[in-house]
């Protein structure tokens, strides 16, 4: 089986002009919120790859799922900002 994909904690929507995806919501305490992403940011790049729509974004998140950190670029009020996404490592536990 596949390792469980780490959720970024974002709800996104295609934009009218197809130049990125709009953030509808960032889950509280999620990797996305901790990185500083906010509602109405326009995500333009994930892990160094340009995204034009939600399908692109989903594909890039899948590509980066195994990494513990990567960068997302987004526009806020016309300014481009970089966000460092850090995915907490799932630690195995055992009772011995």
């Amino acid at each position: 089986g596949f390792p469980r994909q780490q959720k970024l904690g974002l709800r996104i929507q295609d934009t009218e002009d197809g130049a990125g995806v709009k953030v509808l919501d960032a889950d509280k305490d999620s990797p996305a919120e901790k990185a500083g992403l906010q509602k109405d940011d326009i995500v333009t790049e994930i892990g160094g790859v340009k995204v034009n729509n939600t399908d692109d974004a989903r594909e890039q998140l899948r590509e980066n799922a195994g990494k513990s950190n990567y960068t997302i670029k987004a526009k806020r009020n016309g300014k481009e900002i970089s966000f460092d996404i850090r995915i907490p490592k799932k630690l195995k536990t055992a009772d011995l």
Side-chain angles (χ1 to χ4, degrees):
F2 291 100
R4 175 144 163 58
Q5 188 174 336
Q6 175 68 44
K7 279 184 62 122
L8 188 55
L10 279 184
R11 278 191 46 226
I12 56 174
Q13 178 181 50
D14 288 348
T15 55
E16 293 270 337
D17 60 4
V21 291
K22 181 178 180 175
V23 175
L24 297 178
D25 194 28
D27 295 345
K28 186 164 172 39
D29 294 331
S30 67
E33 189 202 52
K34 287 178 179 170
L37 281 152
Q38 296 176 0
K39 183 180 186 308
D40 296 330
D41 286 350
I42 305 294
V43 175
T44 56
E45 209 175 274
I46 297 174
V49 178
K50 192 168 168 26
V51 294
N52 298 311
N53 54 45
T54 53
D55 290 336
D56 287 356
R58 196 176 291 128
E59 179 61 33
Q60 285 316 308
L61 290 173
R62 202 172 299 128
E63 299 270 323
N64 287 286
K67 297 180 183 172
S68 60
N69 64 324
Y70 53 91
T71 303
I72 287 183
K73 285 190 181 166
K75 286 192 174 129
R76 180 180 298 159
N77 302 325
K79 282 204 293 267
E80 191 165 77
I81 309 171
S82 284
F83 299 94
D84 291 322
I85 303 294
R86 299 203 186 298
I87 305 294
K89 188 173 170 131
K90 286 243 188 275
L91 301 175
K92 261 191 201 168
T93 61
D95 293 328
L96 300 175

